[in-house]
Amino acid sequence: MGSTLYINAINRALHEEMARDNEVVAIGLDIGRQGGLFGVTRGLFERFGPSRVMDTPISEAGYMGAAIGMAMEGVRPVVEIQFADFVTVAFDQIVTVAAKMHYMTGGGKNVPIVVRLPYGVNVSGEGYMTGAGPHHSQSPEAWFCHCPGLKVVMPSSPADALGLLKAAIRDNDPVIYFEQKGLYYTLSGEVPEDGEDHIVPIGKAAVRREGTDATIVATGAMVGLSLAVAEKLAGEGVSVEVVDPRTLVPLDRETLVASVRKTGRVVVTHEASQTGGFGAEVAAVLADDAYASLRAPVKRVAARDMPVPAGLAARAALPGEARIEKAVRAVLGK
Amino acid sequence: MGSTLYINAINRALHEEMARDNEVVAIGLDIGRQGGLFGVTRGLFERFGPSRVMDTPISEAGYMGAAIGMAMEGVRPVVEIQFADFVTVAFDQIVTVAAKMHYMTGGGKNVPIVVRLPYGVNVSGEGYMTGAGPHHSQSPEAWFCHCPGLKVVMPSSPADALGLLKAAIRDNDPVIYFEQKGLYYTLSGEVPEDGEDHIVPIGKAAVRREGTDATIVATGAMVGLSLAVAEKLAGEGVSVEVVDPRTLVPLDRETLVASVRKTGRVVVTHEASQTGGFGAEVAAVLADDAYASLRAPVKRVAARDMPVPAGLAARAALPGEARIEKAVRAVLGK
Amino acid sequence: MPLDHEQLVAMYRALSGTRIAEQTITDLNKSGVLRGHHSGLGHEAVGVAVGMAVRPDDCVQMSHRSGMMLSHARGGYSLREAVLSQFGRAPSHYASLPGRPRTLTIVGLVGTWVPMSVGISMADRLRGKDTVTVTFFGDGAANEGAVHEAMNLAGARRLPMVFLIENNGMAVSMPTSEATAASDFAARAAGYGMPGVLVDGHDPVALHEVAEEAVARARRGQGPTLIEAKLIRWESHANGIADLRTPEEIEEAHRRDGVRQLRDALIGQGILSEADADAIDDAARAEVDAAVEEGRTAGFDMTVPPPMDAADAWRLTYAN
Amino acid sequence: MPLDHEQLVAMYRALSGTRIAEQTITDLNKSGVLRGHHSGLGHEAVGVAVGMAVRPDDCVQMSHRSGMMLSHARGGYSLREAVLSQFGRAPSHYASLPGRPRTLTIVGLVGTWVPMSVGISMADRLRGKDTVTVTFFGDGAANEGAVHEAMNLAGARRLPMVFLIENNGMAVSMPTSEATAASDFAARAAGYGMPGVLVDGHDPVALHEVAEEAVARARRGQGPTLIEAKLIRWESHANGIADLRTPEEIEEAHRRDGVRQLRDALIGQGILSEADADAIDDAARAEVDAAVEEGRTAGFDMTVPPPMDAADAWRLTYAN
Ligand SMILES: Cc1ncc(C[n+]2csc(CCOP(=O)(O)OP(=O)(O)O)c2C)c(N)n1
Ligand SMILES: Cc1ncc(C[n+]2csc(CCOP(=O)(O)OP(=O)(O)O)c2C)c(N)n1
Ligand SMILES: [Mg+2]
Ligand SMILES: [Mg+2]
């Protein structure tokens, strides 16, 4: 094990998978010589050349569609959308073409693409791009969670970023891969040694911290904040469990339900705005499957229902440790 | 009061609002001389002429953007997307431009457009287009519910179709108006006399049927099915309340919560696929605000998480009376 | 290369057969036996001509107008199947089946289907194939942004592709002349750095010539071509939708009918006798009529499938 | 109409001033005092020239390159404000303010911002105004589908618009020559039935001439024009992003600098003396320097706003 940055873990996954399988290609804006706007694709162009690392014109629908076509022939394209916010112009290709192809062709064709979406703001308020405003800071995972045919993953640590990307590339369905761009250069963590083929299976949640009094279900950058809250409350003798679904679709209901069966109290938190967010799905699942165990209202802590403000003002709209803590106290009745 | 078809109520709203206010214009594919593919815009072109009833090239992003620009100047465009499914190519304009304009301009500009989305399949299995398959049958309301800056309405009766469209046109924010195209020619109902200015306020739910034992929260075509289920169960002495949110964003939490406070048991049903659907938001709201009253798990009855099958096969994927009834029995513990 | 006599006769056979099949299918829809057809009457020439200009391993993405004609002309898709597919009794011409010429599906959103064809071409290039990808779409679809992006991408990458615009002058009720101020769509090709060719979409021989040249050019590695075939559809947009055109416009379509023109030309040039041509037509009609009988007897596949649970839904929707 | 001497001097004043302001802002970003700028160095000519060709009631949608120059040239937006806005101490040049020339916002997605400008033009027509709408976007944005749809719609409706492509040869790291096989973007105009004009984007006088002609044409009711201004940006895409171009490419940009060329021409023609020109430059520099001082002293607006509840969020996001 060694420690590495979140961004380096993603870069490593791309290098390893492209080296392992000639059918894996990368396509996107400025991913070649520039190495990506954020640097995620560094070294790929030099190593694998222009036929496998493809810069494209600013035509997100066009190159997403092209990637889908390639995938239908068995190529495994990893598509970078420069900011997750820009996926809206390629949205149609993903939900209309990629998501429905397996069904439409009676299983005759499948679309093994991975769509990499750098999302969110730098929640810690430090480092790169604290907040570039409404069109460069969004967390649009819920749209994709409500589209049968897609799988959706959201790694919160370097190890998961590595293992989930490798799993996504090998998956035969379209996988939307959400990488929190505020974590790129601010989060490091242990990853298996170079050369180890680290796979995190799609569909398995992780219990990040065990606890008995309450559960926080957190995704992406909210995992770190939730762990900090759990740590703080531990000082008061409150034992908080933190569960990270990692895969949003298909959701690992068992792990979530098991946690709530144990604690009876739950807070769900994500960076996206609250109404219709992924947290609603988690709350709905628990209000059904874990109903009998619930001993308090299911609380959600999410961004305000508004565009993400620019600059540090984002902090006012985003969920932070204080709001998570308050919600945990609320479900604990204190 | 007279009885009219769902489609005629929508048509009447357009006629009335365009006659009332010169700033109201209509734009879309084949809405002029053809009167709309389904006939919703019949008579508008003849009455208001080509400068206010605008046929456009097949360029959904282009004409949605144009409508947004017009709206920024104070025009009130009602935009028809021929099938709700096609909104995916105009998605970016709605969520990136229209939804965020008020915020981005500090309130300096607003975007009073209405986007009319004919959605869904003919759930009854009769009449026009039982099911035209994965790309002509979807119910994508949840995507828009998870986009701050948009309002979302979904009328389930001719009277609401009339009154909500008129309210939407007068609203100063972008409103996404979901009309269930299977109801166009199969559902009729009482509406106020011609000449009466019938407005259904945005943000108010309707209790369609009062009951004391369980609540069904239903939208669109599921309201009719739910009422049928309630009727059937009434025969067994079970009193089911049916609540129709009508406006999905902003949601009338009070009415929903009040119903569940009374009944303690709830089933949420919609035509869209389940995971990440609007029903998750309703369930999440109730699992928080109505937690103390809940006496059973919150059940969702929605379409299977798959593309909508073509033809009558759609019935296998869609929620139907049988599944709603089963869920109500489940929450009642029988 | 100009078509030899044998090819011309084959072309006529395909034209006559698909015309008869399409007329029959259109009539069955009008009479309510079948439901919801986008009639391809008037589009036979472009389907047949392009079908004869490509190899089985070339990939063609067909339109909702001429797809059946193209599948038939490429071989492996009989008139019987064309008719039976309308009764839900045979795979549609869109289906990619083993041993059949290579096709690419479309989707229900016009324009949206085009970018994936670019990806097919890119995949073929990655694999070092010398295949060509042909994509059909309409004049209406051409105004969609995705088509612009796809054509530009193909031009920029000099891909071996042919973009074929079936310009039938209408998109549902929207006349092409109101949908764009461009004199023709071929003029858009320059904006993507590819040649744009305008051709009479009623004339199967002219169509074959330009398609063959464009395919050859692509195969030679000289990049994509945009072909605009101008023609007139005979019927309204789809069964059940009113046709707002004047009778003159539709008469003009019949006057320019390429099927009859080729028939007359072959007879005029002595390649076929009147009797030969009649025999070709009769054989097609017999095949089509028999298929209608077969389809009618079998009836529609209206069975409601058994209830579906979450596991079934998953299996149908996901590959793994 | 050719510019008279007074106008030429005004043009030089705007060019010199915005160059100095832009150079200063660019330097402040490079040194870390400011953060995250898309430098417009090299784009001054197109901003100033078009700004001088439109009326205050015409609506202009500006790009992230030349917007400041355009706002300044249209009047009402001083160099001081241009600098202070970078410190968060004055409204940006995008803001539509009462009494100022009419502008239309852009959004963070390139290409996406273009269709709404078509709507402005449609609204103005509905109201019977004789105004013109001008929309700026880059060569990269031009490959977005929304731009295609917008231009086609404007052509089809013969709207009084000018589409202005600032082709600086690059989109971040993507050379225009790899992003499209078209020889130029002006060639795309034919595909929308509008004239396409190619102009040297460094030459303010030539730019003014084509812009004025296109605006006049639009105002006469003859429909939209596509203008492609070819130029070279001096800096990398944005502060902090590496520039992969060769030094020769950047030298070429400086060699073709339109600001210096106009200065030399005005002096050569005796319209300005060297001293006059220096005085113009010095005045601008003094205004800019003072503004920097003012901005630095004020400091950034980094205050974290007070906590926000659901009601605040609603009020900021919705009109009613
Ligand atoms: C994105 C999208 N918008 C609208 C439609 C509805 N629609 C189906 S076919 C059609 C007309 C297409 O015209 P064209 O491309 O010229 O083909 P044609 O039908 O004339 O052969 C329309 C508007 C659609 N399928 N997809
Ligand atoms: C839809 C979209 N894709 C990508 C980006 C990221 N991006 C911002 S500016 C830019 C380059 C734009 O190039 P061009 O239009 O030529 O303008 P230039 O910056 O060269 O002036 C890119 C790729 C974006 N903002 N929007
Ligand atoms: Mg057409
Ligand atoms: Mg550029």
Side-chain angles (χ1 to χ4, degrees):
Chain A
M1 301 284 272
S3 183
T4 197
L5 282 172
Y6 188 80
I7 191 167
N8 293 342
I10 303 172
N11 178 262
R12 171 173 157 189
L14 293 170
H15 273 279
E16 285 183 4
E17 290 304 297
M18 291 190 72
R20 185 188 56 80
D21 181 354
N22 276 329
E23 298 284 10
V24 179
V25 302
I27 186 166
L29 301 183
D30 309 301
I31 65 165
R33 284 202 306 147
Q34 191 90 35
L37 203 60
F38 297 97
V40 177
T41 56
R42 269 191 303 245
L44 296 177
F45 181 82
E46 292 72 13
R47 184 164 172 198
F48 302 107
S51 68
R52 290 183 60 204
V53 182
M54 296 176 256
D55 275 337
T56 84
I58 311 182
S59 304
E60 282 84 356
Y63 73 78
M64 185 68 68
I68 292 167
M70 284 192 276
M72 289 170 69
E73 291 292 313
V75 178
R76 294 184 171 270
V78 182
V79 187
E80 176 175 305
I81 294 288
Q82 208 159 49
F83 284 73
D85 311 72
F86 308 162
V87 76
T88 49
V89 283
F91 192 70
D92 173 54
Q93 290 292 323
I94 297 174
V95 304
T96 302
V97 187
K100 297 177 175 60
M101 189 58 71
H102 180 80
Y103 177 82
M104 275 179 50
T105 58
K109 289 280 175 191
N110 57 311
V111 182
I113 53 167
V114 177
V115 181
R116 288 185 35 241
L117 297 182
Y119 81 96
V121 305
N122 187 346
V123 182
S124 71
E126 283 160 45
Y128 181 71
M129 295 203 78
T130 298
H135 298 125
H136 290 78
S137 311
Q138 292 169 89
S139 303
E141 67 275 10
W143 294 335
F144 300 96
C145 292
H146 185 56
C147 180
L150 303 179
K151 293 172 180 168
V152 182
V153 300
M154 185 176 263
S156 68
S157 71
D160 282 357
L162 170 64
L164 278 172
L165 183 49
K166 288 166 65 89
I169 290 171
R170 299 183 198 184
D171 198 277
N172 290 327
D173 291 307
V175 181
I176 316 296
Y177 179 93
F178 281 91
E179 46 194 69
Q180 215 284 356
K181 63 186 183 293
L183 301 182
Y184 280 154
Y185 293 99
T186 60
L187 179 71
S188 43
E190 297 297 306
V191 289
E193 289 306 334
D194 278 11
E196 256 185 72
D197 192 26
H198 176 63
I199 300 284
V200 172
I202 289 177
K204 290 303 291 171
V207 176
R208 294 289 173 205
R209 178 191 177 108
E210 304 220 349
T212 51
D213 299 332
T215 300
I216 305 177
V217 179
T219 55
M222 309 315 293
V223 173
L225 303 195
S226 301
L227 288 169
V229 169
E231 187 62 33
K232 179 173 174 197
L233 291 173
E236 301 179 19
V238 177
S239 166
V240 176
E241 178 146 312
V242 178
V243 181
D244 173 3
R246 304 198 287 195
T247 296
L248 313 191
V249 175
L251 184 64
D252 181 356
R253 289 170 165 238
E254 288 68 33
T255 302
L256 268 60
V257 169
S259 177
V260 175
R261 290 239 164 89
K262 179 171 59 171
T263 62
R265 301 169 197 277
V266 63
V267 169
V268 186
T269 181
H270 53 62
E271 192 177 335
S273 56
Q274 175 163 313
T275 299
F278 170 72
E281 178 63 26
V282 173
V285 163
L286 296 174
D288 187 354
D289 295 4
Y291 166 77
S293 313
L294 282 176
R295 278 176 289 149
V298 179
K299 291 280 172 205
R300 289 181 285 168
V301 180
R304 297 285 173 211
D305 286 325
M306 65 183 296
V308 183
L312 286 178
R315 281 198 193 173
L318 290 182
E321 287 179 30
R323 283 180 57 214
I324 298 171
E325 184 185 329
K326 198 171 148 216
V328 175
R329 289 188 192 278
V331 299
L332 287 164
K334 39 170 134 179
Chain B
M1 299 285 271
S3 183
T4 196
L5 283 172
Y6 188 81
I7 191 166
N8 293 342
I10 303 172
N11 179 262
R12 171 174 158 188
L14 293 169
H15 272 278
E16 286 183 2
E17 291 303 299
M18 290 190 73
R20 187 188 55 80
D21 181 354
N22 277 330
E23 298 284 10
V24 179
V25 302
I27 186 166
L29 301 183
D30 309 300
I31 64 165
R33 286 202 306 148
Q34 191 89 38
L37 203 61
F38 298 98
V40 177
T41 56
R42 268 190 304 243
L44 296 177
F45 181 81
E46 292 72 13
R47 184 164 172 200
F48 302 106
S51 68
R52 291 181 60 203
V53 182
M54 296 175 255
D55 275 338
T56 85
I58 312 182
S59 304
E60 283 83 357
Y63 74 77
M64 185 67 69
I68 292 167
M70 284 192 276
M72 289 171 69
E73 291 293 312
V75 179
R76 295 184 170 269
V78 182
V79 187
E80 175 175 307
I81 293 288
Q82 207 158 51
F83 285 73
D85 312 73
F86 307 163
V87 77
T88 48
V89 283
F91 192 71
D92 173 53
Q93 290 293 323
I94 298 174
V95 304
T96 302
V97 187
K100 296 177 176 60
M101 189 58 70
H102 180 81
Y103 178 83
M104 273 179 52
T105 59
K109 290 279 176 192
N110 57 310
V111 181
I113 53 167
V114 177
V115 181
R116 289 186 35 242
L117 297 182
Y119 81 95
V121 305
N122 187 346
V123 182
S124 72
E126 282 159 48
Y128 181 70
M129 295 203 80
T130 298
H135 297 124
H136 290 79
S137 311
Q138 294 170 87
S139 303
E141 67 275 11
W143 293 335
F144 299 96
C145 293
H146 185 57
C147 181
L150 303 179
K151 293 171 179 168
V152 182
V153 300
M154 184 176 264
S156 68
S157 70
D160 282 357
L162 171 62
L164 278 172
L165 183 48
K166 287 166 66 86
I169 290 170
R170 299 184 198 182
D171 198 278
N172 290 327
D173 291 306
V175 180
I176 315 297
Y177 179 92
F178 281 91
E179 46 194 68
Q180 215 284 357
K181 63 187 185 290
L183 300 182
Y184 281 154
Y185 293 99
T186 60
L187 179 71
S188 41
E190 296 298 307
V191 289
E193 288 308 334
D194 277 12
E196 258 185 70
D197 192 27
H198 176 63
I199 300 284
V200 172
I202 289 177
K204 290 302 293 170
V207 177
R208 294 290 174 205
R209 178 191 177 109
E210 303 218 350
T212 51
D213 298 333
T215 299
I216 305 178
V217 179
T219 56
M222 309 316 293
V223 173
L225 303 194
S226 300
L227 288 169
V229 169
E231 188 61 35
K232 179 173 174 195
L233 291 174
E236 300 179 22
V238 177
S239 167
V240 175
E241 179 146 310
V242 178
V243 181
D244 173 3
R246 305 197 288 194
T247 296
L248 312 191
V249 175
L251 184 63
D252 181 356
R253 289 170 166 237
E254 288 68 31
T255 303
L256 268 60
V257 169
S259 178
V260 175
R261 288 239 167 89
K262 179 171 60 171
T263 62
R265 301 167 197 279
V266 62
V267 169
V268 186
T269 181
H270 54 60
E271 192 177 335
S273 56
Q274 175 162 316
T275 299
F278 170 72
E281 177 64 25
V282 173
V285 163
L286 296 173
D288 187 353
D289 295 2
Y291 166 77
S293 313
L294 282 176
R295 278 176 290 148
V298 180
K299 291 279 172 205
R300 288 182 287 168
V301 180
R304 297 285 176 212
D305 286 326
M306 63 183 297
V308 183
L312 287 177
R315 282 199 193 173
L318 289 182
E321 288 180 29
R323 282 179 58 215
I324 297 171
E325 183 185 331
K326 198 170 149 216
V328 175
R329 289 188 192 280
V331 299
L332 287 162
K334 37 171 132 182
Chain C
M1 265 189 311
L3 295 161
D4 63 25
H5 288 189
E6 200 179 317
Q7 289 170 311
L8 285 167
V9 171
M11 179 179 261
Y12 179 68
R13 185 173 292 114
L15 283 170
S16 166
T18 55
R19 162 62 53 78
I20 289 165
E22 187 64 24
Q23 183 70 63
T24 302
I25 293 165
T26 301
D27 293 344
L28 286 168
N29 274 276
K30 285 190 176 174
S31 67
V33 175
L34 293 171
R35 282 221 242 167
H37 183 60
H38 294 86
S39 175
L41 285 172
H43 288 249
E44 296 86 354
V46 63
V48 166
V50 178
M52 291 179 67
V54 292
R55 298 195 320 216
D57 62 339
D58 289 336
C59 186
V60 184
Q61 190 177 38
M62 296 170 282
S63 78
H64 55 294
R65 297 284 170 204
S66 62
M68 181 269 275
M69 296 82 182
L70 188 135
S71 273
H72 180 67
R74 290 182 85 187
Y77 195 70
S78 67
L79 300 178
R80 174 176 168 273
E81 281 169 295
V83 171
L84 281 180
S85 75
Q86 301 291 322
F87 287 90
R89 287 290 172 213
S92 99
H93 53 269
Y94 295 119
S96 320
L97 296 173
R100 296 267 174 99
R102 190 167 165 221
T103 64
L104 175 61
T105 189
I106 60 172
V107 296
L109 276 69
V110 303
T112 292
W113 74 59
V114 178
M116 75 175 118
S117 71
V118 176
I120 300 296
S121 180
M122 288 167 70
D124 281 8
R125 172 177 285 178
L126 271 172
R127 269 86 192 255
K129 295 188 188 171
D130 74 336
T131 46
V132 172
T133 303
V134 182
T135 301
F136 281 72
F137 52 92
D139 52 284
N143 295 323
E144 285 283 5
V147 173
H148 165 80
E149 298 187 10
M151 291 204 283
N152 185 60
L153 201 50
R157 299 202 151 249
R158 229 184 154 77
L159 293 173
M161 294 190 70
V162 179
F163 294 95
L164 206 146
I165 303 189
E166 264 171 290
N167 179 357
N168 59 10
M170 296 293 286
V172 189
S173 71
M174 184 68 160
T176 307
S177 56
E178 289 179 29
T180 185
S183 55
D184 50 70
F185 291 99
R188 292 196 181 160
Y192 311 118
M194 61 177 87
V197 186
L198 196 58
V199 58
D200 177 357
H202 296 277
D203 181 345
V205 177
L207 278 160
H208 184 267
E209 195 177 314
V210 302
E212 196 174 53
E213 166 52 23
V215 168
R217 191 172 181 280
R219 212 176 317 273
R220 283 194 305 266
Q222 295 174 296
T225 299
L226 172 60
I227 298 175
E228 175 182 1
K230 269 201 159 131
L231 56 102
I232 311 177
R233 60 167 151 81
W234 288 18
E235 297 291 322
S236 79
H237 173 68
N239 190 42
I241 291 179
D243 198 331
L244 305 179
R245 294 176 299 173
T246 62
E248 290 72 41
E249 288 176 86
I250 296 160
E251 267 164 41
E252 161 85 359
H254 287 264
R255 202 159 42 238
R256 290 174 56 194
D257 176 16
V259 181
R260 213 203 45 248
Q261 279 181 33
L262 185 66
R263 189 184 211 272
D264 294 349
L266 294 188
I267 292 170
Q269 291 164 43
I271 298 171
L272 285 181
S273 69
E274 190 94 32
D276 294 337
D278 286 347
I280 288 173
D281 301 348
D282 291 346
R285 196 171 310 277
E287 184 178 350
V288 166
D289 288 348
V292 171
E293 205 40 46
E294 195 179 342
R296 271 180 183 279
T297 330
F300 281 96
D301 187 4
M302 294 272 269
T303 43
V304 176
M308 205 179 278
D309 68 12
D312 298 323
W314 183 273
R315 192 177 31 75
L316 291 165
T317 309
Y318 292 91
N320 67 303
Chain D
M1 268 189 309
L3 295 162
D4 62 24
H5 287 190
E6 202 180 316
Q7 289 169 312
L8 285 167
V9 172
M11 180 179 260
Y12 178 68
R13 186 172 293 115
L15 282 170
S16 165
T18 55
R19 162 63 54 80
I20 289 166
E22 186 64 26
Q23 183 71 63
T24 302
I25 292 165
T26 301
D27 292 345
L28 286 168
N29 274 277
K30 286 191 176 173
S31 67
V33 175
L34 293 170
R35 281 222 241 168
H37 183 60
H38 294 86
S39 175
L41 285 172
H43 288 247
E44 295 86 353
V46 64
V48 166
V50 178
M52 291 179 68
V54 293
R55 296 197 319 217
D57 62 339
D58 290 336
C59 187
V60 184
Q61 190 177 39
M62 297 171 281
S63 77
H64 55 294
R65 297 284 172 206
S66 62
M68 181 269 277
M69 295 83 184
L70 188 134
S71 274
H72 179 69
R74 290 182 85 189
Y77 196 70
S78 66
L79 300 179
R80 174 174 168 273
E81 282 170 296
V83 171
L84 281 180
S85 76
Q86 301 291 320
F87 287 91
R89 287 289 171 213
S92 99
H93 53 269
Y94 295 120
S96 321
L97 295 174
R100 296 266 174 100
R102 191 168 165 219
T103 63
L104 174 62
T105 188
I106 59 172
V107 296
L109 276 69
V110 303
T112 291
W113 75 59
V114 178
M116 73 175 120
S117 69
V118 177
I120 300 297
S121 179
M122 289 168 70
D124 281 8
R125 171 175 287 179
L126 272 170
R127 271 87 192 256
K129 295 189 187 170
D130 75 335
T131 46
V132 173
T133 303
V134 183
T135 301
F136 280 73
F137 51 92
D139 51 284
N143 295 323
E144 285 284 3
V147 173
H148 165 79
E149 298 186 11
M151 291 203 283
N152 185 60
L153 201 51
R157 297 199 152 251
R158 227 182 155 78
L159 293 174
M161 295 191 68
V162 178
F163 294 95
L164 206 148
I165 304 188
E166 264 172 290
N167 179 357
N168 59 11
M170 296 293 287
V172 189
S173 72
M174 184 68 160
T176 308
S177 55
E178 288 178 30
T180 184
S183 55
D184 50 70
F185 290 99
R188 291 196 183 160
Y192 311 118
M194 62 176 87
V197 186
L198 196 58
V199 59
D200 177 357
H202 297 277
D203 181 345
V205 176
L207 278 160
H208 184 267
E209 194 178 316
V210 303
E212 196 174 51
E213 165 54 21
V215 168
R217 192 174 181 278
R219 211 175 317 273
R220 284 195 304 267
Q222 293 175 297
T225 300
L226 173 60
I227 298 176
E228 174 182 0
K230 269 199 159 135
L231 57 101
I232 310 176
R233 60 166 151 82
W234 287 18
E235 297 291 321
S236 79
H237 172 69
N239 190 41
I241 292 179
D243 198 331
L244 305 180
R245 294 176 299 174
T246 62
E248 290 72 41
E249 288 175 86
I250 296 159
E251 267 165 38
E252 161 84 359
H254 287 264
R255 202 158 43 239
R256 291 174 54 195
D257 177 16
V259 183
R260 214 203 43 249
Q261 280 181 33
L262 185 66
R263 189 184 211 275
D264 293 350
L266 295 188
I267 292 171
Q269 291 165 43
I271 298 171
L272 285 180
S273 69
E274 189 94 33
D276 295 336
D278 285 348
I280 288 173
D281 301 349
D282 291 346
R285 195 172 311 278
E287 183 178 350
V288 166
D289 287 348
V292 171
E293 204 42 45
E294 195 181 342
R296 270 180 185 278
T297 328
F300 280 97
D301 186 5
M302 292 274 267
T303 43
V304 175
M308 203 179 279
D309 68 12
D312 299 323
W314 182 273
R315 192 177 32 74
L316 291 165
T317 308
Y318 291 91
N320 69 304

